[in-house]
Amino acid sequence: NWIVLIVGFRLAAVFNCYDVYDNVVNFLKSTSLQLRWSALEYCKKLPQQDTSDQIITYYRFENKIYKLAVIDALKDMGCQKKIPFLLKQLHDKDDDIKAAAAKSLALLHPSGAAFLQTHLFADEDPWKAIFLHIDKERAAWPGKKSYSIFSPMAFLFIPCFYYSSIFLLEFIQLVK
């Protein structure tokens, strides 16, 4: 039963059960979005050395919401070795993916947000707006190392339904 697995993944993350890591990582390739999402949440909370490689393995085949969650997970894990991967996402056709990658790079790159201004496309749309948003978000939360999707003005670039739609999907599945 997939509901039992989801609850198990969450409990394993809460109780820091590193010994089930290999089993949970196998669910990153599940056909069930809910199982993949829960496995990703577990991996984000209890990362191992190969976690970043594992979570991007099937990235290109995923839907937009899951891709945003993967980028957010890389940011939360502080995974600097995936900076080249995030740089590639700056060229995605979807502006939300670009904004999420830029936000992650602003935190992970050794030069910080200043790195983003050095790109050739920094003066083009939508980059002006994305960089302005990142600067305002950083100013609104001084001293905070990690910036959440729920911080002020995040709704400008990442749809409000980003997390709520996933939870709604889980709720609908539970009700069925």
Side-chain angles (χ1 to χ4, degrees), residues 95-107:
D95 287 346
D96 292 332
I97 301 285
K98 290 177 187 177
K103 187 185 291 188
S104 295
L105 283 166
L107 291 170

Side-chain angles (χ1 to χ4, degrees), residues 64-83:
K64 175 182 170 178
I65 293 174
Y66 191 81
K67 285 181 177 183
L68 289 169
V70 166
I71 292 170
D72 191 52
L74 292 173
K75 176 190 71 164
D76 289 347
M77 292 183 326
C79 189
Q80 288 187 338
K81 76 178 192 174
K82 290 301 171 197
I83 288 176

Side-chain angles (χ1 to χ4, degrees), residues 76-145:
D76 289 347
M77 292 183 326
C79 189
Q80 288 187 338
K81 76 178 192 174
K82 290 301 171 197
I83 288 176
F85 169 80
L86 292 169
L87 286 170
K88 288 180 187 174
Q89 304 320 304
L90 293 177
H91 302 285
D92 194 276
K93 62 185 176 202
D94 189 290
D95 287 346
D96 292 332
I97 301 285
K98 290 177 187 177
K103 187 185 291 188
S104 295
L105 283 166
L107 291 170
L108 295 175
H109 197 276
S111 302
F115 163 76
L116 296 172
Q117 300 296 338
T118 64
H119 269 357
L120 296 174
F121 54 77
D123 289 331
E124 299 173 7
D125 284 327
W127 294 108
K128 286 183 195 177
I130 290 172
F131 296 153
L132 177 65
H133 168 70
I134 291 171
D135 289 341
K136 285 183 178 181
E137 186 176 278
R138 292 174 68 96
W141 297 92
K144 187 174 180 191
K145 183 173 167 76

Side-chain angles (χ1 to χ4, degrees), residues 5-176:
L5 289 170
I6 290 171
V7 171
F9 295 164
R10 291 182 181 164
L11 288 173
V14 168
F15 291 107
N16 298 323
C17 297
Y18 289 96
D19 53 337
V20 297
Y21 175 81
D22 292 332
N23 294 326
V24 174
V25 166
N26 287 330
F27 284 95
L28 290 172
K29 52 188 167 194
S30 171
T31 57
S32 166
L33 177 61
Q34 293 86 0
L35 286 175
R36 286 194 316 272
W37 184 270
S38 294
L40 178 64
E41 288 296 315
Y42 169 89
C43 290
K44 180 170 79 169
K45 290 178 181 158
L46 302 173
Q48 303 276 330
Q49 190 169 356
D50 69 334
T51 301
S52 59
D53 295 327
Q54 294 285 347
I55 65 174
I56 66 167
T57 301
Y58 300 101
Y59 176 86
R60 64 184 166 167
F61 303 112
E62 295 293 347
N63 63 38
K64 175 182 170 178
I65 293 174
Y66 191 81
K67 285 181 177 183
L68 289 169
V70 166
I71 292 170
D72 191 52
L74 292 173
K75 176 190 71 164
D76 289 347
M77 292 183 326
C79 189
Q80 288 187 338
K81 76 178 192 174
K82 290 301 171 197
I83 288 176
F85 169 80
L86 292 169
L87 286 170
K88 288 180 187 174
Q89 304 320 304
L90 293 177
H91 302 285
D92 194 276
K93 62 185 176 202
D94 189 290
D95 287 346
D96 292 332
I97 301 285
K98 290 177 187 177
K103 187 185 291 188
S104 295
L105 283 166
L107 291 170
L108 295 175
H109 197 276
S111 302
F115 163 76
L116 296 172
Q117 300 296 338
T118 64
H119 269 357
L120 296 174
F121 54 77
D123 289 331
E124 299 173 7
D125 284 327
W127 294 108
K128 286 183 195 177
I130 290 172
F131 296 153
L132 177 65
H133 168 70
I134 291 171
D135 289 341
K136 285 183 178 181
E137 186 176 278
R138 292 174 68 96
W141 297 92
K144 187 174 180 191
K145 183 173 167 76
S146 178
Y147 299 92
S148 169
I149 185 171
F150 298 111
S151 50
M153 296 181 53
F155 63 90
L156 291 176
F157 299 103
I158 301 176
C160 330
F161 59 85
Y162 174 70
Y163 280 118
S164 61
S165 63
I166 293 300
F167 294 123
L168 182 61
L169 286 173
E170 287 183 15
F171 178 75
I172 291 169
Q173 294 297 328
L174 288 172
V175 172
K176 283 185 179 179

